[in-house]
Amino acid sequence: MKDTARQRMDTPQGSRLFNFHLDVDLGKSGERAARFLGTGRYLAIQTMIVIVWIFINVTVVALRWDPYPFILLNLAFSTQAAYAAPLILLAQNRQDDRDRVSLEEDRSRAQQTKADTEFLARELASLRIAVGEVATRDYLRRELEEIRELLEQATGQTSTPSKKSRKKSRPAPVDDFEESEPDPDTKM
């Protein structure tokens, strides 16, 4: 709910006899006017008007509505400046408001991104810890082999070696190109 001046307790209500309230929003039109006043097109149009104004008032004697000191032209410039300055300030204030809102949105987005990044970092750290505590297949095989060997030593029995240990105990194949010693049992 908006906190308007009428709803606030610290703001006087005003007169009940003269209830005159003028709520005019010149924001968008003021911005358009201020934007137009800052263009080269406006400067060109104003320059042409001033040149025509001075030319007519200097050369055409019958149409001299503003003789040489050009007081009416000066008054027109003053009036234009009196209206242009507040319009430009209004446009600047609206731009400041937009910048402030944009900055607040950027700040909140950055805070959310930071919180998300910190959360993901914590999750990654917990996953690394969890993965470090998980028993792997190789770890379990080693532990089972050690238990089997301890059981064999305790009972004094030798059991059939596992597939892995059988593979290790087999002699390495001899290459055909290597010179091997003749076997004494074999006859030539």
Side-chain angles (χ1 to χ4, degrees), residues 9-172:
M9 297 297 285
D10 60 346
T11 305
Q13 284 185 340
S15 174
R16 293 176 191 243
L17 294 175
F18 301 105
N19 194 6
F20 179 71
H21 180 68
L22 180 63
D23 189 19
V24 178
D25 185 24
L26 296 174
K28 290 182 181 180
S29 60
E31 275 188 42
R32 269 185 266 140
R35 205 171 287 129
F36 177 69
L37 291 175
T39 62
R41 180 179 179 190
Y42 170 75
L43 291 174
I45 291 170
Q46 186 178 16
T47 303
M48 292 305 297
I49 290 172
V50 168
I51 289 172
V52 169
W53 184 291
I54 292 173
F55 179 76
I56 290 174
N57 280 300
V58 169
T59 58
V60 181
V61 179
L63 295 177
R64 278 194 191 170
W65 67 89
D66 191 19
Y68 167 64
F70 307 119
I71 296 171
L72 192 57
L73 181 62
N74 194 5
L75 180 64
F77 279 144
S78 298
T79 305
Q80 182 249 338
Y83 280 104
L87 288 175
I88 291 170
L89 289 174
L90 181 67
Q92 286 177 344
N93 289 341
R94 285 178 55 92
Q95 185 63 42
D96 288 343
D97 292 341
R98 281 194 297 268
D99 291 345
R100 189 177 312 109
V101 168
S102 176
L103 181 65
E104 289 172 3
E105 288 174 356
D106 288 347
R107 189 173 292 138
S108 67
R109 191 177 303 122
Q111 287 174 347
Q112 183 63 37
T113 302
K114 182 180 179 184
D116 290 346
T117 303
E118 289 173 352
F119 172 75
L120 289 174
R122 285 192 303 272
E123 288 295 314
L124 277 174
S126 66
L127 284 174
R128 285 182 181 157
I129 291 169
V131 167
E133 293 174 356
V134 171
T136 61
R137 186 175 24 183
D138 294 335
Y139 172 76
L140 288 175
R141 280 188 186 146
R142 255 192 330 259
E143 291 296 315
L144 288 173
E145 283 291 322
E146 287 177 15
I147 291 171
R148 187 180 57 80
E149 289 173 5
L150 286 174
L151 284 174
E152 286 176 0
Q153 288 175 358
T155 59
Q157 297 176 354
T158 57
S159 64
T160 57
S162 65
K163 290 180 183 179
K164 196 172 189 179
S165 61
R166 274 188 270 164
K167 287 181 182 176
K168 289 183 180 176
S169 64
R170 287 186 189 161

